[in-house]
Amino acid sequence: VITQDAGLSLENIQLNLLGQARRVIVNKDSTTIVGDGLEIEAIKTRCEQLRKQVNVADTSYEKEKLQDRIAKLSGGIAVIKVGAVTETEMKDKKLRLEDAINATRAAVEEGIVPGGGATLAHLSDNLLTWAKNNLQEEELVGAMIIARAIVAPLRRITENAGINGAVIIEQVQQQEFEVGYNAATNKFGNMYDEGVVDPAKVTRSGIQNATSIASMILTTECIIVNQEQSVSE
């Protein structure tokens, strides 16, 4: 790192101060350097030096910067190669992979919950009970609207599978929190054990965003929509 603390500046750097990397990815928020894996021992040595500097640092600011530097050096990166027969298939796989990566990052931040709409179905029943005991008038009406609306994902999943959605929702709500309906196997089970999970952050954000949009529509004087024309017209 070229800094004044190291006695270096951009005006007097030499080529021997620069290293090599297999790939460098730069965007507006971050820079990712993918090495060739040949400098692992040198990186470990540098991390040890930084840890010693942390112990003798005078201010909390210096310690924080050094610890951040250690985390960046010691952290790893994986390269996932995506291949396909056609370009269209490759783009589809790439988008699916990006979705999976983003979902994993969200899961690391806030954890996971049972998927397949099971979490929202369980929360709907609990929300309804809580709202009747704690809310009144308009707040109670709003809570009841949300309680009815958040079972829509599970209803849609079951209806797409050709099953009566209302029956499945009622059966799921009578089970433990971890139990949901797996449309792929047409069975009820522990969603964690079956690998049907959602990032908690995604579920929370979905409710917040939907509520925000609904609130905006309620305060809007008019809404413009496209009228669908029938085939005969």
Side-chain angles (χ1 to χ4, degrees), residues 10 38-39 44-45 54 61 97 100 116 129 165 188 191 209 223:
L10 294 176
L38 301 178
E39 305 294 336
K44 290 181 179 179
T45 303
V54 170
Y61 176 79
L97 179 62
T129 303
F188 295 92
M191 306 306 274
N209 295 338
I223 300 175

Side-chain angles (χ1 to χ4, degrees), residues 124 127-128 131-132 135 139-149:
S124 173
L127 174 60
L128 201 58
K132 291 179 179 179
L135 301 179
E139 291 181 344
L140 177 59
V141 174
M144 293 178 66
I145 291 174
I146 293 177
R148 289 198 302 267

Side-chain angles (χ1 to χ4, degrees), residues 3-145:
T3 61
Q4 294 181 351
D5 296 336
L8 302 172
S9 65
L10 294 176
E11 289 77 13
N12 58 11
I13 61 172
Q14 302 294 327
L15 288 177
N16 59 359
L17 297 175
L18 304 178
Q20 295 181 344
R22 184 156 55 94
R23 188 180 183 187
V24 178
I25 305 170
V26 182
N27 57 37
K28 64 178 183 179
D29 298 319
S30 63
T31 299
T32 303
I33 301 175
V34 182
D36 51 13
L38 301 178
E39 305 294 336
I40 295 178
E41 292 300 325
I43 293 175
K44 290 181 179 179
T45 303
R46 178 56 178 162
C47 289
E48 289 298 327
Q49 293 175 351
L50 292 173
R51 291 189 182 96
K52 293 179 181 178
Q53 292 182 24
V54 170
N55 295 330
V56 298
D58 297 329
T59 64
S60 59
Y61 176 79
E62 291 181 3
K63 290 184 179 180
E64 183 180 349
K65 288 298 181 182
L66 289 170
Q67 290 171 348
D68 184 51
R69 179 66 178 159
I70 293 171
K72 290 181 178 179
L73 281 175
S74 59
I77 184 171
V79 179
I80 304 176
K81 297 181 180 180
V82 179
V85 178
T86 63
E87 184 178 356
T88 303
E89 183 184 1
M90 183 181 68
K91 288 182 178 179
D92 177 68
K93 286 186 176 181
K94 185 177 179 181
L95 291 174
R96 290 176 183 271
L97 179 62
E98 290 177 353
D99 289 342
I101 293 173
N102 292 331
T104 303
R105 288 172 177 167
V108 170
E109 291 181 13
E110 298 186 13
I112 58 176
V113 294
T119 296
L120 296 177
H122 289 296
L123 291 178
S124 173
D125 195 31
N126 295 333
L127 174 60
L128 201 58
T129 303
W130 177 85
K132 291 179 179 179
N133 295 329
N134 296 276
L135 301 179
Q136 296 178 352
E137 299 178 355
E138 289 87 354
E139 291 181 344
L140 177 59
V141 174
M144 293 178 66
I145 291 174

Side-chain angles (χ1 to χ4, degrees), residues 168 171-172 179-191 194:
I168 298 298
Q171 292 180 352
V172 169
V179 178
Y181 172 71
N182 190 339
T185 60
N186 193 24
K187 294 180 180 179
F188 295 92
N190 188 307
M191 306 306 274
E194 298 190 18

